[in-house]
Amino acid sequence: MSDTAETPEAQTQEAQTPQLSMQRVFLKDISFESPRSPMIFQEEWKPEVGLELNTKSRQVGENVYEVVLEITVTVKNNGNTGYLVQVQQGGLFVISGLDDQQLHHALGAFCPATLFPYARENIDAVVVKGSFPAIMLAPINFDALYIESLQKQQAETTQ
């Protein structure tokens, strides 16, 4: 018998080792609207930025999950919509060895946080192509948003 043969205990331990890796990043959808162009370029630019975030996830294979970060940026100038950008930034993640709570946290916080820089770059690029000043979205604490979402769900179920 070889000294390198793995015992059943070692194989079980290896199977239980948490693994999370990003397999692919992709742009699922992007939309840019500037309903007041070109008149808006004649106005003094005092933007008011609104941001909406949402995430979706689903299992697409054995230990493979699709996570989609949806971001909508609405920029108003003098109360009128200057532009609207909607992005769905997707990623495929291989995740194994996590319990249900850890998996839910990974899909709801870690994966969206990993996708955010890609979404932010796509938003910035399309805004500049629309002839507006660059908009660099500030970093987002997805862990805090995830915890807030859990607390909200718990409050709704106890009512």
Side-chain angles (χ1 to χ4, degrees):
M1 185 168 176
S2 170
D3 290 336
T4 60
E6 289 188 14
T7 64
E9 294 83 18
Q11 291 173 344
T12 302
Q13 184 178 8
E14 184 177 303
Q16 297 296 327
T17 302
Q19 295 182 357
L20 193 155
S21 64
M22 186 167 52
Q23 199 175 48
R24 183 172 301 257
V25 175
F26 56 94
L27 182 60
K28 191 161 186 154
D29 190 21
I30 190 165
S31 171
F32 175 82
E33 299 173 28
S34 178
R36 297 191 55 246
S37 292
M39 288 77 63
I40 196 163
F41 301 123
Q42 304 301 313
E43 300 172 4
E44 184 179 356
W45 187 242
K46 294 182 181 178
E48 303 162 24
V49 179
L51 180 70
E52 291 180 38
L53 291 171
N54 193 17
T55 61
K56 296 187 296 190
S57 62
R58 66 186 179 115
Q59 189 167 2
V60 295
E62 186 177 340
N63 299 325
V64 179
Y65 297 84
E66 176 192 34
V67 177
V68 178
L69 173 62
E70 299 175 345
I71 301 177
T72 301
V73 178
T74 305
V75 176
K76 294 189 174 196
N77 193 51
N78 299 318
N80 297 311
T81 300
Y83 62 83
L84 173 79
V85 180
Q86 295 176 307
V87 170
Q88 291 184 4
Q89 188 69 55
L92 288 177
F93 295 86
V94 177
I95 305 172
S96 63
L98 302 180
D99 64 35
D100 286 344
Q101 185 178 7
Q102 292 170 326
L103 176 62
H104 195 260
H105 182 256
L107 294 172
F110 179 80
C111 296
T114 304
L115 294 173
F116 181 72
Y118 299 96
R120 180 173 56 191
E121 179 183 4
N122 284 322
I123 290 168
D124 189 57
V126 75
V127 166
V128 169
K129 288 178 181 177
S131 195
F132 289 93
I135 178 170
M136 184 54 81
L137 299 175
I140 295 173
N141 185 339
F142 285 93
D143 282 321
L145 291 176
Y146 175 77
I147 291 168
E148 182 182 304
S149 174
L150 285 181
Q151 291 171 342
K152 191 176 187 180
Q153 287 175 1
Q154 289 172 349
E156 289 173 357
T157 58
T158 58
Q159 291 179 351

